[in-house]
Amino acid sequence: MSKVFLIISAVLLIVLSGCASQPKASLYQQLGSEQGIERIVDAFIKRIAKDKTILPYFAKSSVSHFRAGFITHMCDISGGPCEYTGDSMVDIHTGMNINEADFNRVVELLVLAMEDAGVSYREQNLLLAKLAPMRGEVIKR
Amino acid sequence: MKITVASTLLLACLSVSFASQARGKLLGTPGVSQVEGSAGGGLVPWAQLAGYATEDEWAISGFCTKADVDDFSLNVCGAQANFFDRLELSYAEQDFKVNPLNTELSQSITGAKIRFYGDLVYSQWPQLTFGVQYKKLDTPAVANALGAADTSGYDYYLSASKLHLGAAFGYNLLWNATARSTSANEMGLLGFGSANHDRSVQLELSSAVLLNQHLAVGVEYRQKPDNLGLQESNWRDVFVAWFPNKHVSVTAAYIDLGAIAALPKQTGWYLSVTGYF
């Protein structure tokens, strides 16, 4: 039994030590650079269009404006050669009054979109980790 | 008998379609059900509240757990309610078979847990909750014979929990730490306190890695007091939890409970199912 715990602990330690080592390629490159991010955003738009809960939030949005803005934003936060200079997250989401459940629904749609675009589970998590801190600027506004 | 009542309740829950429809949390983030009925890992209550309810939803969940070690087996069934991801109320009934004595001990546990800070996934600091478990032993004879001071008692605990997205080589990493003030002997199945020992603070730790959206593997450690002088051991387990969807979770574990009532090397298997409504 002790051996089992030793092995599991060792595995966890090795896995954890991965936090310290920097990945060689940037997340932007891992996601497939510009084309990869375009694939994700296009899949995301398709997922949103099919979702009865989330689609109404986009009723007054221009799809092409959203597409261009989100592609640049994702490129920026994933370490790509872009700088997002569009409207702030707060400005975009003010008046939408998005609750926690609908925010999570959008996260789920983005995960589905990343799967559609062939993004691996680990890269999905790394991108979500970049987006998650912005929740406070998005919900209940 | 009591287990039968709880099982019937659970089956009723399973067969009736509740209107709560709480689906707000991300898959797997409520954790599973621990042996005393609170949301948690298998042995340790976690800072998460049971079920998929978020700020404007409520949720009900029910579970049954079976744990078998060399000389003992534990059957637990219970239910939890989550109100607005702020308050969790729980109730569980434990039946504990003592094979060498061919006897059965049982207790009921009523729990409440309140979230006072944070969100497991999104807040900068860990989610924090305060919880209480009131335990009442229905079979006091063995506890009294072993020198327990009481046959009912309160546990109080503080829990902190955090999910780190992509933190482990791109995999999501979850940890929970719980500090519990308790006088319970073997969770309360052998009563509470003794002539010389009363309340003490015990530390409980869990960690898990999510291998994909549906599968988590982890370890738990639960420190326990030895009020009765029966070499009561700290508990530990390694577990696999499966979340096929937001309606059900299944957890299997290998558990090492050490010595129970001076019988050493109690290891074995643990299986738990939680249904969410």
Side-chain angles (χ1 to χ4, degrees), chain B residues 39-117:
Chain B
L43 302 174
V44 179
W46 289 358
Q48 292 99 301
L49 272 54
Y52 284 92
T54 50
E55 57 187 350
D56 43 15
E57 300 171 312
W58 57 275
I60 285 178
S61 40
F63 75 98
C64 281
T65 297
K66 186 170 178 61
D68 268 309
V69 292
D70 296 59
D71 296 309
F72 305 90
S73 67
L74 177 71
N75 283 290
V76 193
C77 285
Q80 303 117 349
N82 176 330
F83 300 98
F84 315 114
D85 205 29
R86 180 61 65 188
L87 174 70
E88 172 192 298
L89 300 178
S90 62
Y91 180 77
E93 289 173 351
Q94 296 180 331
D95 277 353
F96 186 65
K97 284 203 182 81
V98 184
N99 300 335
L101 298 177
N102 197 23
T103 188
E104 194 164 294
L105 308 174
S106 65
Q107 71 170 344
S108 61
I109 302 168
T110 308
K113 186 196 285 185
I114 188 152
R115 178 177 65 86
F116 61 87
Y117 171 80

Side-chain angles (χ1 to χ4, degrees), chain B residues 37-265:
Chain B
S38 306
L43 302 174
V44 179
W46 289 358
Q48 292 99 301
L49 272 54
Y52 284 92
T54 50
E55 57 187 350
D56 43 15
E57 300 171 312
W58 57 275
I60 285 178
S61 40
F63 75 98
C64 281
T65 297
K66 186 170 178 61
D68 268 309
V69 292
D70 296 59
D71 296 309
F72 305 90
S73 67
L74 177 71
N75 283 290
V76 193
C77 285
Q80 303 117 349
N82 176 330
F83 300 98
F84 315 114
D85 205 29
R86 180 61 65 188
L87 174 70
E88 172 192 298
L89 300 178
S90 62
Y91 180 77
E93 289 173 351
Q94 296 180 331
D95 277 353
F96 186 65
K97 284 203 182 81
V98 184
N99 300 335
L101 298 177
N102 197 23
T103 188
E104 194 164 294
L105 308 174
S106 65
Q107 71 170 344
S108 61
I109 302 168
T110 308
K113 186 196 285 185
I114 188 152
R115 178 177 65 86
F116 61 87
Y117 171 80
D119 181 281
L120 176 75
V121 181
Y122 298 110
S123 57
Q124 189 181 355
W125 302 100
Q127 177 167 330
L128 299 174
T129 54
F130 173 76
V132 56
Q133 292 175 338
Y134 171 69
K135 303 171 176 183
K136 189 174 177 303
L137 194 53
D138 305 319
T139 49
V142 172
N144 289 336
L146 292 171
D150 286 298
T151 54
S152 67
Y154 287 91
D155 284 5
Y156 306 98
Y157 62 90
L158 269 172
S159 294
S161 194
K162 180 99 184 98
L163 181 91
H164 299 273
L165 287 163
F169 265 135
Y171 295 100
N172 297 336
L173 176 77
L174 181 141
W175 61 266
N176 180 84
T178 296
R180 181 199 298 257
S181 167
T182 181
S183 62
N185 311 321
E186 298 296 358
M187 277 193 309
L189 290 162
L190 299 184
F192 301 81
S194 66
N196 305 319
H197 296 91
D198 189 25
R199 187 166 289 280
S200 59
V201 175
Q202 308 290 327
L203 191 62
E204 306 177 6
L205 300 168
S206 314
S207 182
V209 173
L210 282 72
L211 298 179
N212 59 45
Q213 280 180 44
H214 302 284
L215 210 59
V217 294
V219 292
E220 288 199 299
Y221 180 82
R222 176 168 169 171
Q223 202 181 27
K224 287 167 53 258
D226 183 21
N227 300 326
L228 296 174
L230 293 171
Q231 299 126 49
E232 180 167 341
S233 299
N234 300 334
W235 286 351
R236 49 192 189 167
D237 72 89
V238 292
F239 68 84
V240 179
W242 179 49
F243 303 90
N245 52 48
K246 291 185 184 178
H247 300 285
V248 67
S249 70
V250 182
T251 308
Y254 186 70
I255 50 176
D256 179 357
L257 306 185
I260 298 176
L263 293 171
K265 292 183 179 166

